[in-house]
Amino acid sequence: MAFNFTVTKECKNSRARLGQLETTHGVIQTPVFMPVGTQATVKTTTPHELEELGVEIILSNTYHLYLRPGSDVVAEAGGLHQFMGWNHPILTDSGGFQVFSLGPLRKIAEEGVTFRSHLDGSKHFISPEKSMDIQMELGADIVMAFDECAPYPAEREYVKISKDLTLRWAKRCQQAHTRDDQALFAIVQGGMYKDLRKESALELIELDFPGYGIGGLSVGEPKEIMYEVLEDLVPLLPGKKPRYLMGVGSPDCLIEGVLRGVDMFDCVWPTRLARHGMVITSRGNMAVRNLPFARDFTPIEEGCKCYACRNFSRAYIRHLLKANEVLGIRLTTIHNIAFLTRLMQEIRAAIAADQLLEYSRHFFQAFGTEK
Amino acid sequence: MAFNFTVTKECKNSRARLGQLETTHGVIQTPVFMPVGTQATVKTTTPHELEELGVEIILSNTYHLYLRPGSDVVAEAGGLHQFMGWNHPILTDSGGFQVFSLGPLRKIAEEGVTFRSHLDGSKHFISPEKSMDIQMELGADIVMAFDECAPYPAEREYVKISKDLTLRWAKRCQQAHTRDDQALFAIVQGGMYKDLRKESALELIELDFPGYGIGGLSVGEPKEIMYEVLEDLVPLLPGKKPRYLMGVGSPDCLIEGVLRGVDMFDCVWPTRLARHGMVITSRGNMAVRNLPFARDFTPIEEGCKCYACRNFSRAYIRHLLKANEVLGIRLTTIHNIAFLTRLMQEIRAAIAADQLLEYSRHFFQAFGTEK
């Protein structure tokens, strides 16, 4: 088994920690943010650009790749790394979250989920076993157990049933998963109910997975509630295993998550924001496509070393965005990924120096919060 | 004046020739194909990528930049090179062709052309003097005289009036143009009428421009007619000045044009083709977005050294195109520009060896013609 996680440093005045995650395709420094490449591409970028940006691992989506081009095509190409030309670590989600997001198009049963494709309406069925089959065909370094993600808000009774189903499915995933070059993470559910979260964590820990996802957060609840759940939940998780907060990627949530002991994050937000003509800066988010930047010949952010900031002005990028030129969203995407990659580097440096609380204070003074 | 053109070699068995075009922003080897960056970006690419592809000069559109972001904004940025981060030669067209393409939205008079913007319907007026003002603000290395491009087919009488107007406008452009770091080319018109083409050429030669555009071709006429016009017209043009066939860029037309003595070409075709999921190969154009390529794990073209062919399969590129992923059209665009850049390099090598006719025969055997 090529997977190994080592905590190399624990912060003195918070739960933050540094780690090294060894996978089949290389070593990742944690805490880490994973850009999302839904359809086997981090939208608008090449693998080469991601490397240059210092990205160490990306996430790709099982549901989307299963429907298109088909996991059999990816397998025939030699797996997802080979197919998309990315020779570094990849994590695939289980398809669960996307399937549940289909709403009326899906039906949940003990055996699995029946749903209709958002592309052509065709009928499909994904069970825990099927999710494992697909993810084994895709060949990512880290794969996720098929779970049910309860919506927010949800009644306690619904969340309990859902959490119990997620546990039974996690067991079936563990049975079905046989590739020893992949690490299978379980996903803790339980909504915003502390006791259910605790039950979910303890039950899954008993099954001894190599890592634990924290699902069902960042689904519409206030950020304070998410932070509270993390505060209660993370101490229950095994100290020697990676903790992955799913679907979280704004700078403030990344810092707050790390402070509460999270090692891994992913989110479409920074790249989606970029495609809406918005860039992340140390002084908050900026709508570079707006009129005030029409004659602003400074870079998005002074001192940023990304390709966009080294070569182009806000005025030029605004022009490209207004004119619907692809280069516009390429440049905003590059900048936003660069911003988050640098943020995580700074966070790691701050942990190493036991300075994360100070770093966090300074960061929020300039950035503001979005609470 | 930073502009100079030197013919360095004339082919023994055709009118093809090698040249060096010196401009304010660098030297270009001719015959050359210029990719089009309509809105201050060659669609989907960065300037850095164009450099890596061996592109030496690009074309940008006066009409589009005048409307958006405005030539004043570009001037304030320090000119087009600075604005778009391209420190190599640029040619701007006069805006004439785009304005005339507006059809019912424009009205031609002796003084100039009144038209409505395709963006917001606002009313504008461009005269030869105004075109020069805009192009001087943009600051390209080579600028074009404001001409009227007659449609095809057109009555002889209309074409004659149009050609005479183009001559008077060329004189006014010459008077109005004052930047000595830019070369102003005139545009020969005259439609498909040999005697009118001859008149246009001789009249414009008398005005002694540093280069001559050949306008009004590739506007819907059969390719044979275009080749015939070139055969008659090119020998009339000064041997020591560059000849630029406007709006032409398919591989067969490039070769046939070079054989008839053309030095410069531009066209949106190769990059537009790419955005429609079509790639140019030595065996003809290929619709890589089509089903037969779903499980084809070979590159677009074996032996092609472009980034797309070195790293990705037809199956992956097809997947990206079907999924509307920007990376798909980035890769097809890179390949198509690489193909044409290599084609022009091979054409120049063949001219140097007096082998262009043989090269042409071999090329067409594999590529086929699109006549």
Side-chain angles (χ1 to χ4, degrees):
Chain A
M1 166 107 182
F3 185 82
N4 192 41
F5 181 65
T6 317
V7 175
T8 55
K9 156 91 188 170
E10 292 186 322
C11 196
K12 280 190 184 143
N13 35 33
S14 77
R15 293 214 181 102
R17 63 214 202 138
L18 294 180
Q20 280 210 342
L21 194 60
E22 291 170 49
T23 75
T24 306
H25 287 84
V27 178
I28 303 145
Q29 306 302 319
T30 65
V32 67
F33 171 75
M34 305 181 281
V36 178
T38 301
Q39 304 188 109
T41 167
V42 175
K43 285 191 193 300
T44 82
T45 70
T46 62
H48 180 71
E49 285 163 352
L50 295 176
E51 278 171 9
E52 283 195 333
L53 286 164
V55 171
E56 294 189 333
I57 176 171
I58 62 165
L59 178 145
S60 200
N61 290 110
T62 291
Y63 166 80
H64 289 91
L65 296 178
Y66 160 72
L67 290 180
R68 186 171 61 189
S71 45
D72 55 331
V73 170
V74 175
E76 207 177 314
L80 189 51
H81 298 83
Q82 179 81 10
F83 184 58
M84 67 179 290
W86 173 255
N87 293 315
H88 305 283
I90 302 176
L91 180 150
T92 44
D93 66 2
S94 68
F97 185 76
Q98 272 76 26
V99 167
F100 298 118
S101 304
L102 291 173
L105 293 175
R106 51 97 179 124
K107 217 183 103 195
I108 306 169
E110 182 67 30
E111 183 53 23
V113 184
T114 308
F115 63 96
R116 290 195 178 273
S117 158
H118 74 288
L119 297 175
D120 61 6
S122 58
K123 210 170 169 179
H124 298 269
F125 174 72
I126 295 189
S127 62
E129 291 77 14
K130 176 87 183 178
S131 172
M132 290 301 103
D133 283 347
I134 300 169
Q135 291 189 76
M136 286 192 282
E137 275 193 304
L138 296 175
D141 301 81
I142 301 172
V143 301
M144 301 301 294
F146 193 67
D147 63 328
E148 196 206 336
C149 179
Y152 175 84
E155 293 298 321
R156 184 190 158 78
E157 189 51 25
Y158 180 92
V159 175
K160 178 165 170 45
I161 291 171
S162 164
K163 178 223 75 163
D164 290 342
L165 182 65
T166 292
L167 173 66
R168 293 192 297 276
W169 283 0
K171 286 180 188 166
R172 284 167 56 188
C173 286
Q174 204 170 38
Q175 290 257 313
H177 184 258
T178 55
R179 268 187 80 153
D180 62 5
D181 58 348
Q182 295 183 314
L184 169 63
F185 283 21
I187 301 174
V188 178
Q189 291 289 356
M192 312 305 157
Y193 301 97
K194 290 179 192 180
D195 56 332
L196 296 182
R197 283 278 170 187
K198 183 173 180 179
E199 277 181 33
S200 178
L202 298 181
E203 290 159 352
L204 290 168
I205 289 167
E206 206 162 297
L207 297 173
D208 194 26
F209 285 88
Y212 292 91
I214 303 168
L217 291 180
S218 196
V219 290
E221 79 282 7
K223 287 180 179 179
E224 283 76 7
I225 292 188
M226 175 171 86
Y227 300 151
E228 277 173 33
V229 171
L230 289 176
E231 269 156 37
D232 290 313
L233 172 61
V234 171
L236 302 173
L237 296 174
K240 297 193 173 171
K241 292 187 177 175
R243 305 145 180 174
Y244 159 31
L245 177 55
M246 305 176 78
V248 165
S250 66
D252 51 340
C253 291
L254 291 173
I255 293 176
E256 300 290 358
V258 170
L259 281 167
R260 286 160 181 82
V262 174
D263 305 301
M264 304 166 69
F265 304 86
D266 82 282
C267 196
V268 295
W269 176 82
T271 42
R272 183 173 291 165
L273 195 75
R275 296 195 303 283
H276 289 121
M278 300 274 292
V279 286
I280 316 171
T281 81
S282 57
R283 287 192 281 183
N285 302 332
M286 188 176 92
V288 67
R289 70 171 291 131
N290 284 358
L291 189 60
F293 304 106
R295 289 166 191 271
D296 184 339
F297 301 106
T298 63
I300 293 173
E301 179 140 47
E302 275 317 332
C304 175
K305 294 195 179 79
C306 83
Y307 179 73
C309 289
R310 276 187 286 115
N311 292 281
F312 306 101
S313 66
R314 295 170 175 184
Y316 180 61
I317 294 170
R318 180 202 183 241
H319 161 65
L320 295 174
L321 293 167
K322 293 298 287 181
N324 289 317
E325 287 287 355
V326 162
L327 183 56
I329 58 173
R330 283 186 61 187
L331 296 176
T332 53
T333 299
I334 283 173
H335 174 80
N336 284 359
I337 295 176
F339 186 91
L340 288 192
T341 306
R342 191 172 56 237
L343 176 67
M344 297 314 289
Q345 282 164 353
E346 290 174 359
I347 286 174
R348 292 197 297 268
I351 298 172
D354 289 313
Q355 301 272 326
L356 186 56
L357 283 174
E358 292 81 341
Y359 175 82
S360 156
R361 242 185 332 265
H362 285 126
F363 179 87
F364 284 117
Q365 262 169 23
F367 188 79
T369 53
E370 297 179 357
K371 287 172 186 174
Chain B
M1 164 105 182
F3 186 81
N4 192 41
F5 181 65
T6 317
V7 175
T8 56
K9 156 92 189 171
E10 294 188 320
C11 197
K12 281 191 183 141
N13 36 34
S14 78
R15 291 212 182 105
R17 62 214 202 139
L18 295 180
Q20 280 210 341
L21 194 60
E22 291 170 49
T23 75
T24 306
H25 287 83
V27 178
I28 304 145
Q29 307 302 318
T30 65
V32 68
F33 171 76
M34 304 182 280
V36 177
T38 301
Q39 303 188 112
T41 167
V42 175
K43 285 191 192 302
T44 80
T45 71
T46 63
H48 180 70
E49 285 164 351
L50 295 176
E51 278 171 6
E52 283 196 332
L53 286 165
V55 171
E56 295 190 333
I57 176 171
I58 62 164
L59 179 144
S60 200
N61 291 109
T62 291
Y63 166 80
H64 289 92
L65 296 177
Y66 161 72
L67 291 180
R68 186 171 60 190
S71 45
D72 55 331
V73 171
V74 176
E76 207 176 316
L80 189 51
H81 299 84
Q82 180 81 8
F83 184 58
M84 66 180 289
W86 172 254
N87 293 315
H88 305 284
I90 302 176
L91 181 150
T92 44
D93 67 3
S94 67
F97 184 77
Q98 271 76 26
V99 167
F100 298 117
S101 304
L102 291 173
L105 292 175
R106 52 96 179 125
K107 217 183 102 193
I108 306 169
E110 182 67 31
E111 183 53 23
V113 183
T114 309
F115 64 96
R116 289 194 179 275
S117 159
H118 74 289
L119 296 175
D120 61 6
S122 57
K123 210 169 169 180
H124 299 270
F125 174 72
I126 294 190
S127 62
E129 292 77 14
K130 177 86 184 176
S131 172
M132 290 302 103
D133 283 348
I134 299 168
Q135 291 189 78
M136 286 191 284
E137 276 193 304
L138 296 175
D141 301 82
I142 302 173
V143 302
M144 300 303 294
F146 193 67
D147 63 328
E148 195 205 337
C149 179
Y152 175 84
E155 293 297 322
R156 185 190 157 79
E157 190 51 28
Y158 180 92
V159 175
K160 179 167 169 42
I161 292 170
S162 163
K163 178 222 74 162
D164 290 341
L165 181 65
T166 292
L167 173 67
R168 293 192 298 276
W169 284 0
K171 286 180 188 165
R172 284 166 56 188
C173 285
Q174 204 170 39
Q175 290 258 314
H177 184 258
T178 55
R179 268 187 80 152
D180 62 5
D181 58 348
Q182 294 182 316
L184 169 63
F185 283 22
I187 301 175
V188 179
Q189 290 289 356
M192 310 306 155
Y193 301 98
K194 290 180 191 179
D195 56 332
L196 297 182
R197 282 279 171 188
K198 184 173 180 178
E199 277 181 33
S200 178
L202 297 180
E203 290 160 352
L204 290 168
I205 289 167
E206 206 161 297
L207 296 173
D208 195 27
F209 285 87
Y212 291 91
I214 303 169
L217 291 180
S218 196
V219 289
E221 79 283 8
K223 288 180 179 179
E224 284 77 6
I225 292 187
M226 176 171 85
Y227 299 151
E228 278 173 32
V229 170
L230 290 177
E231 268 155 38
D232 290 313
L233 172 61
V234 171
L236 302 173
L237 296 173
K240 296 192 173 170
K241 293 186 175 174
R243 306 146 179 173
Y244 159 32
L245 177 55
M246 305 176 78
V248 164
S250 66
D252 50 340
C253 291
L254 291 173
I255 292 176
E256 299 289 358
V258 169
L259 281 168
R260 287 162 181 81
V262 174
D263 306 301
M264 303 165 69
F265 303 86
D266 82 282
C267 196
V268 295
W269 177 81
T271 41
R272 183 172 290 165
L273 196 75
R275 296 195 304 283
H276 289 122
M278 301 273 292
V279 287
I280 316 171
T281 80
S282 57
R283 289 192 280 185
N285 302 331
M286 188 177 91
V288 67
R289 70 172 290 130
N290 285 357
L291 189 60
F293 304 106
R295 289 166 191 271
D296 184 339
F297 300 105
T298 63
I300 293 174
E301 179 141 46
E302 278 310 339
C304 175
K305 295 195 178 79
C306 83
Y307 179 74
C309 289
R310 276 187 287 115
N311 292 282
F312 305 100
S313 66
R314 295 169 175 184
Y316 180 61
I317 294 171
R318 182 208 181 235
H319 161 65
L320 295 174
L321 293 167
K322 293 298 285 181
N324 289 318
E325 286 286 355
V326 161
L327 183 56
I329 58 172
R330 282 186 61 187
L331 295 177
T332 54
T333 299
I334 283 173
H335 174 80
N336 284 358
I337 294 176
F339 186 92
L340 289 192
T341 306
R342 190 171 59 235
L343 176 67
M344 298 313 288
Q345 282 164 352
E346 290 174 358
I347 286 175
R348 293 197 296 269
I351 298 173
D354 289 312
Q355 301 273 325
L356 187 57
L357 283 173
E358 292 82 340
Y359 175 82
S360 157
R361 243 188 328 268
H362 285 126
F363 180 87
F364 284 117
Q365 260 168 24
F367 188 79
T369 53
E370 297 179 355
K371 288 171 185 173

